[in-house]
Amino acid sequence: MFIVKNRNIFFAITGVIAAIALALIAIFGLHLGLDFTGGTLVQATYSDGRPAPEALAQSLDTAGFKGYSLREANTSDYILRAGNMTPAMREALPRTLSIGGKSPVTIAQLTEVGPTIGTELRNKALIALGLVLLCILFFIAFAFRKVSQPISSWRYGLIALLTLCFDVIVPVGFFALLGSLTGVQVDALFVTAVLTILGYSVHDTIVVFDRTRENLRLNHEYNRREDFSETAGKSLGQTFVRSINTSLTTMIVLLVLFLLGPASTKDFALTLLVGIIAGTYSSIFLATPLLVAVEMWRGQK
């Protein structure tokens, strides 16, 4: 009941977090990867040990590369993500990566993505995100169709969507800041992580809503007169420990994956970690308090 009674405090905290995330997105923007903008992906393998990243970056700068991303991979590889290369840059790429022949290198992979394909992927990612949110709305409205009192089943769905928007804004804002500081780029794997966050977060929210629905049914069967805020607060308390424990175990796994996993999955794990923290917060401190606020507003109206 503490969370429900002090819902205005948590609404204010949520507003501040969302405002900061939106400001970060507006100020820094997202560093879109070659999946969305088009460009070149190069995996370079060094047989005698890879050179220092500073030396390789200097060689790339001298060769005319701009706005690229250089990441270590495995024990002897570098992953280079860059814009479209000119024929001269492509021809000189082995010498550039070997720093003038000082570090023998083999180009294990070279993939070019055209801007048309990048635009198509970006559009499909936005469509996928919209379809997921729409399907979640219809599913919740259908699942809660028999509990229309005191709140319509559609309102359960709309509140769940509102919390999901918060769950998306937070990791996107975080990556806007991270991209500005470290040059991390948003790619198709980031979109996969965001969709995963949506599924995880809505599952947590539905657990609380479902307990609320069950308690409303019991109140009706036993003819108990109870304020909706009391029923919602009790339902939240009954699922609080379960939500925290589930999220903590997931976050521990993701933290280990981020710290000890391969470089190719670090951004994916970090996105999931930030998103699940935001999703756990919104499921507990935002969704149910919003449900109570909507019911009180409806009652006053």
Side-chain angles (χ1 to χ4, degrees), residues 159-183:
I159 288 171
L161 285 192
L162 191 58
T163 60
L164 289 178
C165 289
F166 174 81
D167 300 339
V168 171
I169 289 171
V170 170
V172 172
F174 176 79
F175 263 76
L177 176 62
L178 199 63
S180 175
L181 296 176
T182 66

Side-chain angles (χ1 to χ4, degrees), residues 21-80:
L22 289 172
L24 291 174
I25 296 170
I27 294 172
F28 299 116
L30 291 175
H31 289 239
L32 298 178
L34 63 90
D35 290 341
F36 299 121
T37 61
T40 307
L41 172 68
V42 181
Q43 180 176 355
T45 303
Y46 293 86
S47 56
D48 295 339
R50 60 189 172 204
E54 296 80 9
L56 184 55
Q58 184 177 359
S59 179
L60 290 168
D61 293 339
T62 304
F65 286 85
K66 299 182 183 299
Y68 57 84
S69 171
L70 189 64
R71 304 290 297 272
E72 295 178 350
N74 303 322
T75 57
S76 59
D77 293 7
Y78 273 114
I79 301 293
L80 170 67

Side-chain angles (χ1 to χ4, degrees), residues 4 7 11 140 144 147 150-160 162-163 205-206 208-213 216 228-229 231-233 235-236 282-299:
V4 172
R7 56 187 176 276
F11 289 161
I140 295 177
F144 286 76
V147 187
I151 292 184
S152 167
S153 61
W154 286 101
R155 288 193 172 96
Y156 282 95
L158 290 173
I159 288 171
L162 191 58
T163 60
T205 302
I206 287 178
V208 184
F209 284 0
D210 193 59
R211 183 54 61 91
T212 303
R213 175 178 64 173
L216 288 172
F228 181 75
S229 60
T231 302
S235 303
L236 185 57
S282 66
S283 298
I284 296 174
F285 299 101
L286 181 60
T288 302
L290 270 177
L291 205 61
V292 173
V294 168
E295 193 278 334
M296 294 183 67
W297 171 80
R298 186 198 61 83

